[in-house]
């Protein structure tokens, strides 16, 4: 079975550029989560969706961050404009309602120069 | 609000040593408790879980018991291997669908 798929795995960009991270959840899962991981702040929940609808975006750090889920099999996290402090590993995870376990993708390592 | 506190790392052990990583939680109601593991360069993956008081989760030689009286869920393994070197996250899920993760504990196992 395919797990959660994220692309790209690595992204290097310059400050001010737009960055788009992509996620394909496990088929049939109806919850999708975006996390950010840094050494300083650990693992932070940015936003999560249920049935493609954003439920809680209180963790999104600034208006520069936005996330969409146009259908059940695809989500994007966009940063515009990017800043060096956005450098982190971004994880997508999915789960099935009624189940406790989240399944994580391999992450996208973002470096903003 | 709900929270998870786990021991700071890194923890460095020799192969075949006994491992304990402490985890305590604060939550209303009866949360489910988890340990996730993150190997270098990978995402988190579920190691074990327990959904009610006195339940013991176990997997790959690791165990943790849901202790409601002490609000704890300590991770243990009797004999660690070099391949167990990773970051371990304690987590809880309460009434909603958000999972609250601890800060993570890095484990190094030396041969």
């Amino acid at each position: 079975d395919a797990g959660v798929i994220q692309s790209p795995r690595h992204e290097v960009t310059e400050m001010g550029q737009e960055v788009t991270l992509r996620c394909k959840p496990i088929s049939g899962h109806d919850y999708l989560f975006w996390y950010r991981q840094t050494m300083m702040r650990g693992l932070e929940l940015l936003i999560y969706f249920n049935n493609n609808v954003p439920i809680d975006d209180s963790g999104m750090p600034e208006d520069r961050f936005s996330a969409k889920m146009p259908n059940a099999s695809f989500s994007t996290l966009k940063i515009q404009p990017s800043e060096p402090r956005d450098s982190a590993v971004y994880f997508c995870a999915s789960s099935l309602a009624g189940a406790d376990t989240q399944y994580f993708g391999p992450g996208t390592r973002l470096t903003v120069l | 609000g709900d929270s998870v506190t786990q021991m700071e790392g890194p923890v460095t052990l020799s192969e075949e040593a006994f491992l304990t990583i402490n985890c305590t939680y604060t939550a209303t109601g009866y949360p489910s408790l988890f340990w996730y593991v993150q190997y270098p360069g990978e995402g988190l993956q579920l190691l074990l879980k327990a959904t009610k008081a006195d339940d013991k989760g176990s997997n790959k030689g690791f165990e943790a018991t849901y202790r409601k009286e002490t609000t704890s869920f300590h991770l243990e393994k009797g004999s660690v291997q070099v391949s167990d070197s990773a970051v371990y996250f304690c987590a809880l899920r309460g009434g909603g669908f958000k999972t609250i993760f601890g800060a993570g504990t890095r484990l190094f196992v030396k041969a």
Side-chain angles (χ1 to χ4, degrees), chain B residues 16-77:
Chain B
E16 298 184 5
F18 184 86
L19 168 71
T20 299
I21 300 177
N22 291 337
C23 171
T24 56
Y25 67 91
T26 302
T28 55
Y30 302 92
S32 295
L33 302 175
F34 309 84
W35 279 99
Y36 283 80
V37 60
Q38 183 180 28
Y39 297 104
E42 299 182 10
L44 281 69
Q45 57 186 274
L46 180 69
L47 179 60
L48 54 83
K49 68 178 183 181
T51 58
K52 61 183 187 296
D54 299 325
D55 267 3
K56 177 185 284 187
S58 61
N59 186 25
K60 299 181 181 179
F62 292 89
E63 293 183 340
T65 301
Y66 190 141
R67 301 284 189 202
K68 188 165 172 31
E69 64 276 13
T70 54
T71 62
S72 65
F73 193 55
H74 305 321
L75 182 68
E76 296 182 336
K77 186 175 186 183

Side-chain angles (χ1 to χ4, degrees), chain A residues 4 12 16 21 29 38 41 52 57-58 62 86 90 92-93 98 112:
Chain A
V4 175
V12 180
L21 311 182
H29 282 191
T38 61
R41 301 174 69 93
N52 314 337
D57 66 354
S58 60
E62 302 170 32
D86 301 331
Y90 291 81
C92 175
V112 183

Side-chain angles (χ1 to χ4, degrees), chain A residues 26-109:
Chain A
I26 292 173
S27 177
H29 282 191
D30 50 0
Y31 280 81
L32 184 139
F33 305 81
W34 281 102
Y35 292 89
R36 177 172 68 176
Q37 186 179 42
T38 61
M39 289 294 292
M40 292 297 294
R41 301 174 69 93
L43 193 67
E44 303 173 274
L45 176 65
L46 300 177
I47 184 172
Y48 76 96
F49 296 82
N50 175 222
N51 290 324
N52 314 337
V53 176
I55 302 302
D56 184 347
D57 66 354
S58 60
M60 296 286 263
E62 302 170 32
D63 291 346
R64 299 184 295 106
F65 286 70
S66 62
K68 294 181 179 180
M69 193 165 184
N71 58 62
S73 59
F74 184 65
S75 177
T76 60
L77 178 67
K78 184 177 294 186
I79 308 172
Q80 166 63 18
S82 57
E83 296 184 4
R85 60 195 168 116
D86 301 331
S87 298
V89 181
Y90 291 81
F91 289 103
C92 175
S94 69
S95 70
L96 192 59
D100 290 323
T101 304
Q102 291 188 19
Y103 295 83
F104 282 73
T108 295
R109 181 174 295 277

